C-alpha cells in the first residue's frame, strides 16, 4: 500500500469526549516527549485532553481515526486562536508633542499536542491533522499559525518546516527550577506587592502591550482561576516603601529599578512525570530530599519527586526596568518558588526570549531547562486588523516576548 492510499484511509474529525477519551489517552501514553534513550517527560492531562487549550478564546481538538468496523484513534491535534501584538507603530491621532507608540495586533493560531501513534507514523497522518487544523484557523480569520517544539525533535521540525510550510521564527528559553523541601530566602532589601487583577491588567497594558505576543485579552488570563496573582518587586528603602500607589501613579514615577511577574497554576490543569530514570538516580534524588527535609536550615538544593506525577507553577509576564531589575526578578522568582512549595508542586518554570535582559535573574537548573525552545511560524492570510507590519514571519526578534500561560 502506498503512502497516499494509507492517508485516504484516515478519517479526521472533531474530538468527542463521550467516545474518544480512552483512545486519546492510549495514544498519549504511547507517545514519548523527549529524545529516545534518555529520560522521557510524560504529560498527564488528568482526563481532560482539551485542558491545554480550553482557556483560550477559541479552541478545537481533532482526532485521526482508522478502521471500518473496529475504529482506532491513531492521532490527535489541538489548536487555539487569539489576538496578539505582532509589532508597533507611531500614532499621531491626537497631535500630541510626542509620538505615541501603539501595538499592531494580529489574529494568531497555535498548534500544540500533535500526537501520532508510534505504530502509524510515516503514513502522512500528522500532515493530514495539521492541514485540517489550519483549515479551521483560516475559517476563523487567523492570519498566522505557530508551533513550539524541541530543536532536537527532528521529525516534528521536518514535518512543519519541510512539509507544512512553516519557518523557524524564535528560540526562547524554558527555565525550570526544582521546588526544594525548604523555603528559599527572598532578599530583605526588596519589597513585593501583590496586585489585584484590574490593576495588574492596567500595568501590563500600559507598559507591555507593545511586547511581541502580548495577548489582547490579557484580562481573561489575569482573571482566570488558574492565575494565582501578579507581583511587583521594588527596592526597600530605610523608611519603608509604603502601600502600593496603583499602576498609573507607579508608572508615572517609578523607582530606579522594579520588576513584575505573574504566576499560573498548571498543577490543576495537568501533571508531569519523568520516566526512564535508573534506580541510582532515584536513590540520589531521594537522599537529597531526606537531607533537605531533616536539615532545612542548611538550605541544600534537593531534587523533588519528579519520578511520580508532579505539578508546576508557571511564571509569565516577566519584565521590569532599571539597573537592579535582575535582582528584583530573582526576588520574585524566590517568592514564586515558595508559593509552589506551599502548593505542593515539584518545579517552577518560566519562558523568556533568548536575549531577555532579566534571564539571569530567574533561578534554574540547566539539566531541567531547555536553552532553545524552537518556535516556527506560517503566514495564513494577507490582511491585518490594525495597521501593517509587513510579513511578521520575516521580522527580527525583540529583546522580550510575552508567553501566554494558557499554552504552556
Amino acid at each position: 500500500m502506498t503512502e497516499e492510499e494509507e492517508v485516504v484511509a484516515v478519517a479526521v474529525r472533531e474530538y468527542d469526549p463521550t467516545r474518544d477519551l480512552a483512545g486519546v489517552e492510549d495514544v498519549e501514553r504511547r507517545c514519548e516527549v523527549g529524545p529516545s534513550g534518555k529520560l522521557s517527560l510524560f504529560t498527564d492531562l488528568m482526563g481532560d485532553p482539551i485542558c491545554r487549550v480550553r482557556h483560550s478564546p477559541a479552541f478545537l481538538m481533532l482526532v485521526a481515526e482508522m478502521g471500518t468496523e473496529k475504529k482506532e484513534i491513531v492521532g490527535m491535534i489541538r489548536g487555539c486562536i487569539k489576538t496578539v501584538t505582532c509589532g508597533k507603530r507611531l500614532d499621531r491621532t491626537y497631535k500630541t508633542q510626542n509620538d505615541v507608540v501603539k501595538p499592531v495586533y494580529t489574529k494568531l493560531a497555535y498548534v500544540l499536542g500533535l500526537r501520532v501513534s508510534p505504530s502509524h507514523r510515516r503514513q502522512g497522518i500528522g500532515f493530514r491533522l495539521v492541514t485540517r487544523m489550519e483549515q479551521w484557523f483560516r475559517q476563523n480569520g487567523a492570519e498566522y499559525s505557530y508551533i513550539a517544539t524541541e530543536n532536537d525533535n527532528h521529525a516534528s521540525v521536518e514535518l512543519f518546516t519541510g512539509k507544512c510550510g512553516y519557518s523557524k521564527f524564535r528560540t526562547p528559553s524554558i527555565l525550570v527550577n526544582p521546588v526544594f523541601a525548604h523555603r528559599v530566602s527572598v532578599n530583605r532589601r526588596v519589597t513585593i506587592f501583590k496586585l489585584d487583577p484590574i490593576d495588574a491588567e492596567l500595568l501590563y497594558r500600559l507598559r507591555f502591550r507593545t511586547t511581541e505576543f502580548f495577548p489582547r485579552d490579557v484580562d481573561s488570563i489575569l482573571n482566570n482561576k488558574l492565575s494565582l496573582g501578579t507581583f511587583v518587586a521594588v527596592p526597600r528603602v530605610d523608611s519603608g516603601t509604603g502601600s502600593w500607589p496603583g499602576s498609573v501613579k507607579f508608572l508615572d514615577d517609578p523607582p530606579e529599578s522594579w520588576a513584575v511577574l505573574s504566576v499560573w497554576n498548571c498543577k490543576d490543569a495537568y501533571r508531569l512525570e519523568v520516566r526512564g530514570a535508573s534506580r541510582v538516580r532515584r536513590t540520589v534524588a531521594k537522599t537529597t530530599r531526606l537531607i533537605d527535609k531533616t536539615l532545612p536550615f542548611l538550605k541544600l538544593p534537593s531534587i523533588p519527586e519528579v519520578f511520580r506525577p508532579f505539578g508546576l507553577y508557571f511564571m509569565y509576564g516577566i519584565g521590569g526596568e532599571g539597573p537592579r531589575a535582575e535582582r528584583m526578578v530573582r526576588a520574585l522568582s524566590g517568592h514564586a518558588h515558595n508559593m509552589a512549595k506551599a502548593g505542593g508542586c515539584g518545579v517552577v518554570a518560566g519562558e523568556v526570549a533568548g536575549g531577555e535582559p532579566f534571564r539571569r535573574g530567574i533561578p534554574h537548573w540547566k539539566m531541567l531547562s531547555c536553552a532553545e525552545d524552537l518556535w516556527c511560524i506560517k503566514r495564513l492570510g494577507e490582511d491585518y486588523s490594525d495597521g501593517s507590519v509587513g510579513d511578521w514571519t520575516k521580522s527580527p526578534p525583540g529583546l522580550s516576548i510575552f508567553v501566554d500561560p494558557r499554552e504552556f
Side-chain angles (χ1 to χ4, degrees):
M1 181 178 290
T2 66
E3 179 179 342
E4 184 177 350
E5 289 173 333
E6 288 178 319
V7 172
V8 173
V10 178
V12 176
R13 59 173 174 78
E14 187 172 345
Y15 167 73
D16 183 350
T18 62
R19 58 172 171 153
D20 297 336
L21 179 59
V24 165
E25 289 182 334
D26 181 61
V27 174
E28 289 279 6
R29 279 192 297 267
R30 289 187 284 145
C31 291
E32 293 185 357
V33 181
S36 176
K38 297 183 180 180
L39 296 179
S40 298
L41 185 63
F42 284 72
T43 305
D44 178 8
L45 302 178
M46 299 189 294
D48 184 10
I50 311 183
C51 67
R52 296 286 296 277
V53 292
R54 70 163 60 257
H55 297 286
S56 298
F59 60 89
L60 178 69
M61 179 172 175
L62 300 173
V63 296
E65 190 176 57
M66 293 185 70
T68 52
E69 296 182 359
K70 186 178 180 181
K71 298 183 182 298
E72 177 188 8
I73 292 178
V74 295
M76 77 279 294
I77 192 172
R78 303 166 183 87
C80 57
I81 303 174
K82 62 183 178 182
T83 301
V84 304
T85 297
C86 64
K88 53 189 175 184
R89 61 183 173 87
L90 298 179
D91 183 3
R92 301 174 183 176
T93 304
Y94 300 101
K95 298 182 180 180
T96 57
Q97 293 182 350
N98 299 319
D99 295 331
V100 178
V101 178
K102 299 192 69 175
V104 175
Y105 292 108
T106 190
K107 206 165 187 180
L108 176 69
Y110 181 49
V111 178
L112 75 162
L114 175 61
R115 301 282 188 270
V116 177
S117 175
S119 59
H120 293 85
R121 291 174 182 171
R122 300 187 181 278
Q123 298 179 20
I125 296 174
F127 178 78
R128 182 86 174 266
L129 285 165
V130 173
T131 302
R132 180 70 176 274
M133 182 61 74
E134 288 179 349
Q135 180 182 353
W136 179 75
F137 289 160
R138 291 187 176 93
Q139 290 172 348
N140 286 272
E143 296 163 351
Y144 292 94
S145 172
Y146 84 110
I147 63 103
T149 187
E150 297 87 357
N151 250 328
D152 57 0
N153 189 340
H154 303 297
S156 179
V157 174
E158 173 59 25
L159 171 63
F160 283 99
T161 63
K163 297 182 179 180
C164 298
Y166 287 71
S167 56
K168 296 180 180 181
F169 189 57
R170 302 289 184 258
T171 53
S173 300
I174 300 177
L175 307 177
V176 182
N177 204 44
V179 175
F180 308 131
H182 65 272
R183 290 172 57 87
V184 299
S185 300
V186 177
N187 193 333
R188 294 185 178 182
R189 298 187 65 82
V190 175
T191 296
I192 295 177
F193 295 104
K194 182 178 182 180
L195 280 57
D196 64 62
I198 295 178
D199 210 27
E201 177 192 350
L202 186 58
L203 177 69
Y204 278 124
R205 291 197 187 280
L206 289 174
R207 177 59 183 80
F208 300 103
R209 62 178 180 167
T210 58
T211 300
E212 194 174 45
F213 285 91
F214 181 81
R216 195 176 219 171
D217 67 332
V218 67
D219 54 318
S220 296
I221 299 174
L222 297 170
N223 284 287
N224 192 289
K225 64 180 181 180
L226 296 179
S227 191
L228 302 179
T230 299
F231 306 89
V232 172
V234 299
R236 183 186 297 274
V237 295
D238 294 337
S239 59
T241 55
S243 58
W244 174 252
S247 292
V248 174
K249 291 184 178 180
F250 176 79
L251 293 176
D252 282 343
D253 185 24
E256 179 188 30
S257 300
W258 62 276
V260 61
L261 64 75
S262 301
V263 180
W264 184 267
N265 178 15
C266 296
K267 178 185 175 184
D268 287 352
Y270 60 88
R271 304 289 179 94
L272 302 172
E273 181 180 356
V274 176
R275 296 182 181 177
S278 65
R279 182 175 297 180
V280 173
R281 288 190 178 187
R282 293 173 181 266
T283 301
V284 170
K286 184 176 181 180
T287 301
T288 64
R289 292 194 302 275
L290 288 174
I291 296 175
D292 194 5
K293 187 175 182 179
T294 305
L295 306 171
F297 58 89
L298 295 178
K299 298 189 180 299
L300 299 174
S302 56
I303 304 173
E305 178 56 279
V306 295
F307 309 119
R308 296 180 181 177
F310 65 91
L312 71 88
Y313 279 178
F314 181 70
M315 301 181 296
Y316 69 98
I318 303 170
E321 293 179 341
R324 290 185 287 172
E326 183 180 309
R327 183 185 303 177
M328 304 297 109
V329 170
R330 184 173 294 277
L332 290 173
S333 298
H335 182 70
H337 171 281
N338 294 337
M339 290 176 61
K341 180 183 181 302
C345 289
V347 301
V348 58
E351 187 166 14
V352 297
E356 174 60 61
F358 312 126
R359 175 176 172 171
R360 290 183 300 178
I362 303 175
H364 62 281
W365 281 16
K366 186 176 181 180
M367 63 180 295
L368 298 176
S369 303
C370 174
E372 288 191 353
D373 182 35
L374 178 62
W375 289 11
C376 299
I377 196 168
K378 178 178 180 179
R379 192 175 187 180
L380 300 177
E382 300 295 331
D383 297 329
Y384 295 85
S385 57
D386 187 6
S388 175
V389 292
D391 188 348
W392 189 23
T393 66
K394 295 180 174 61
S395 65
L399 291 178
S400 302
I401 56 174
F402 193 103
V403 179
D404 194 326
R406 297 173 296 191
E407 299 169 2
F408 184 78

